[in-house]
Amino acid sequence: MARSEFRTESFYEALDRARLIRRLNWKQVAEASGVSASTLTRLAQGKRPDVDSLASLVSWSGLSADAFVGGRPKPQATEPLSQITSVLYADQSLSEDGRDTMIDMITAAYTRLTKNAK
């Protein structure tokens, strides 16, 4: 059986994107998520968070911890474009036209890039 490992660097990058989107600095992330600034510094250095800090950061960011676990077979996931579309439909800050435009752009880019990857 393959050993599961948490991909800390990928999680930190996704957390950083969530921080940038919200226009926060790391101190504000620490305050809003309830984790210490030193925990965020250790994450930036590639060190894994403790389970309580991980839970707090996942809750604050809306990220799924499962997306950052590697080395084990994953159950059949929902198709990525469906996941993205559902997130955009749930975003109340987007107008209907804005949402549809984003879905069209993401679909076009995804289709083009996945064709080249195969």
Side-chain angles (χ1 to χ4, degrees), residues 15-28:
L15 196 61
D16 191 32
R17 283 192 294 278
R19 176 188 70 83
L20 291 170
I21 288 168
R22 295 174 186 178
R23 296 183 174 136
L24 299 176
N25 61 40
W26 285 109
K27 182 179 178 186
Q28 292 168 316

Side-chain angles (χ1 to χ4, degrees), residues 2-118:
R3 182 171 176 240
S4 296
E5 292 186 13
F6 185 71
R7 295 189 311 264
T8 305
E9 290 155 6
S10 297
F11 178 71
Y12 181 78
E13 289 173 16
L15 196 61
D16 191 32
R17 283 192 294 278
R19 176 188 70 83
L20 291 170
I21 288 168
R22 295 174 186 178
R23 296 183 174 136
L24 299 176
N25 61 40
W26 285 109
K27 182 179 178 186
Q28 292 168 316
V29 171
E31 291 169 0
S33 66
V35 301
S36 68
S38 62
T39 294
L40 297 173
T41 299
R42 285 191 302 276
L43 267 174
Q45 297 167 344
K47 297 184 175 115
R48 289 183 287 177
D50 64 81
V51 69
D52 292 330
S53 295
L54 178 62
S56 294
L57 291 168
V58 163
S59 179
W60 172 80
S61 66
L63 296 169
S64 168
D66 285 345
F68 303 97
V69 176
R72 65 181 164 103
K74 297 202 189 263
Q76 182 63 32
T78 306
E79 194 270 326
L81 284 176
S82 297
Q83 292 177 357
I84 293 167
T85 299
S86 68
V87 169
L88 292 174
Y89 270 100
D91 187 344
Q92 298 297 311
S93 67
L94 289 172
S95 67
E96 185 175 339
D97 184 53
R99 180 198 64 230
D100 292 344
T101 300
M102 287 187 70
I103 290 170
D104 290 344
M105 291 181 345
I106 292 167
T107 300
Y110 185 84
T111 302
R112 180 172 179 221
L113 295 171
T114 54
K115 283 182 185 176
N116 291 335
K118 293 179 181 177

